[in-house]
Amino acid sequence: MALKDTFILKNGVSVPKIGLGTWQIPDGKEAYNSIKWALEAGYRHIDTAMAYGNEASVGRAIRDSGIPREEIFVTTKLPAQNKGYKIAHECFEKSLADLGLEYIDLYLIHAPWPWDQIGIDCTEGNLDSWRAFEEIYESGKVKAIGISNFEPKHIEPILAMCKHMPMVNQIRFHIGDRQEEVVDYCRDKDILITAYSPLATGRILNDKTILDVAEKYNASPAQICIKYCLQKDMVVIPKSTKKERIISNKELGFIIDDMDMKALDRL
Ligand SMILES: NC(=O)c1ccc[n+]([C@@H]2O[C@H](COP(=O)([O-])OP(=O)(O)OC[C@H]3O[C@@H](n4cnc5c(N)ncnc54)[C@H](OP(=O)(O)O)[C@@H]3O)[C@@H](O)[C@H]2O)c1
């Protein structure tokens, strides 16, 4: 079953290939139930962020599940606007406390720049954050560290100074938007890619080609989009708050053949 399949990071940590995304899931009942249903369905990887404002419910659902902590992979992120050594340490401690967990599996710098200033140069701030990340990693409170939305030009300065390389880069990746340059660069550096917004936040589910491919495999358009990312050898983290979708999004017992993968590549 795909939910049990993992990638192994360069430090030996296993990452389940499919996770539940939680962006735009409000804290409280909705977040709690989404995580609960996902864990009941067999998901063992949850992606959250301080910026999503739902860490408390995510953590509570994980703790209440009764599943041994070491069987669940939890990612959270340093807010994109919070750059620097001290604030990175402070935010990490706050996420840990809000999640109510003793450790986090993966901690990411959410973006190379604040969301309201996309493109500005924050190299110094990112390097200072990374120093804090390395200390947190060495403390054992996080099992792996990485980045998100980073392009090669943002990664190079970290590689030039780091003691521990980023192990994951979480990027926007879906049919029709493949960021090939970033993917190739990360593969070359042995940085695992996580595909976020694999359904383009729902925008590509009515695409004619995707619908045709879905019909051929007796699958839903969402399943095709998720399987496409898996067949590109990346972690994938679809989001849903609906129990039946959470369940169906992990039913992926088919293989998209080369011809159809190429047709999807052309979109
Ligand atoms: N690092 C970053 O900067 C970053 C940025 C964006 C996202 N992410 C992560 O990636 C995760 C996924 O990305 P995303 O939230 O943008 O969206 P997504 O997973 O691409 O799509 C989610 C949307 O599709 C709908 N959906 C889910 N399953 C469906 C199905 N089987 N049939 C029809 N509709 C379905 C959901 O609605 P319902 O909930 O109503 O089912 C929701 O509107 C996020 O939640 C977050 O964890 C990270």
Side-chain angles (χ1 to χ4, degrees):
M1 186 173 69
L3 287 175
K4 291 210 171 121
D5 293 346
T6 56
F7 288 107
I8 309 286
L9 298 177
K10 61 177 82 193
N11 66 349
V13 166
S14 297
V15 187
K17 291 186 177 183
I18 302 178
L20 184 79
T22 65
W23 179 40
Q24 294 179 313
I25 307 185
D27 201 32
K29 204 172 165 194
E30 218 175 335
Y32 183 87
N33 282 338
S34 304
I35 307 307
K36 177 175 174 283
W37 292 327
L39 294 174
E40 285 170 1
Y43 287 70
R44 290 295 180 267
H45 178 167
I46 309 293
D47 182 81
T48 183
M50 181 182 275
Y52 302 167
N54 56 21
E55 287 173 313
S57 302
V58 168
R60 196 159 52 80
I62 289 171
R63 294 194 310 277
D64 288 354
S65 72
I67 297 166
R69 171 67 187 90
E70 63 276 12
E71 289 180 19
I72 305 176
F73 190 93
V74 183
T75 301
T76 193
K77 312 183 191 93
L78 172 68
Q81 72 279 11
N82 292 349
K83 307 225 168 275
Y85 174 84
K86 187 161 172 279
I87 200 159
H89 271 295
E90 288 167 356
C91 286
F92 179 81
E93 290 301 329
K94 180 163 181 359
S95 283
L96 203 57
D98 286 352
L99 283 159
L101 300 176
E102 285 182 2
Y103 69 89
I104 287 165
D105 294 277
L106 176 63
Y107 197 44
L108 303 176
I109 300 181
H110 205 141
W113 13 248
W115 290 108
D116 57 359
Q117 292 174 287
I118 289 177
I120 68 159
D121 181 3
C122 297
T123 305
E124 284 311 311
N126 286 326
L127 295 182
D128 289 343
S129 299
W130 195 255
R131 282 186 202 103
F133 271 48
E134 292 183 323
E135 286 181 7
I136 298 166
Y137 176 61
E138 289 183 355
S139 77
K141 287 183 187 172
V142 67
K143 304 293 178 199
I145 48 178
I147 51 190
S148 179
N149 298 293
F150 275 53
E151 296 169 25
K153 68 179 179 198
H154 305 120
I155 303 174
E156 284 294 344
I158 295 183
L159 298 189
M161 59 69 84
C162 69
K163 188 166 160 198
H164 302 286
M165 276 179 62
M167 297 158 197
V168 172
N169 190 10
Q170 183 180 122
I171 59 166
R172 188 184 65 252
F173 184 98
H174 54 75
I175 296 169
D177 186 357
R178 293 187 285 129
Q179 302 207 60
E180 282 176 326
E181 189 207 344
V182 181
V183 172
D184 291 348
Y185 177 89
C186 289
R187 294 237 155 105
D188 185 54
K189 306 288 182 202
D190 200 14
I191 298 171
L192 181 68
I193 296 285
T194 295
Y196 80 63
S197 300
L199 317 178
T201 321
R203 289 189 310 273
I204 54 175
L205 298 176
N206 289 319
D207 178 89
K208 170 89 173 71
T209 306
I210 296 175
L211 287 168
D212 288 347
V213 174
E215 193 179 353
K216 176 171 166 187
Y217 293 91
N218 201 15
S220 71
Q223 287 168 333
I224 295 296
C225 294
I226 296 163
K227 189 72 180 193
Y228 176 86
C229 298
L230 288 176
Q231 288 188 213
K232 295 284 182 185
D233 269 330
M234 37 187 77
V235 176
V236 59
I237 49 171
K239 169 260 178 188
S240 181
T241 53
K242 313 270 184 317
K243 188 175 183 181
E244 62 284 2
R245 288 178 176 174
I246 290 170
I247 293 170
S248 78
N249 286 350
K250 54 92 181 173
E251 304 293 346
L252 304 165
F254 57 92
I255 293 172
I256 306 172
D257 69 26
D258 284 351
M259 202 182 73
D260 292 325
M261 284 297 283
K262 288 204 176 83
L264 296 170
D265 282 344
R266 284 193 292 273
L267 293 182

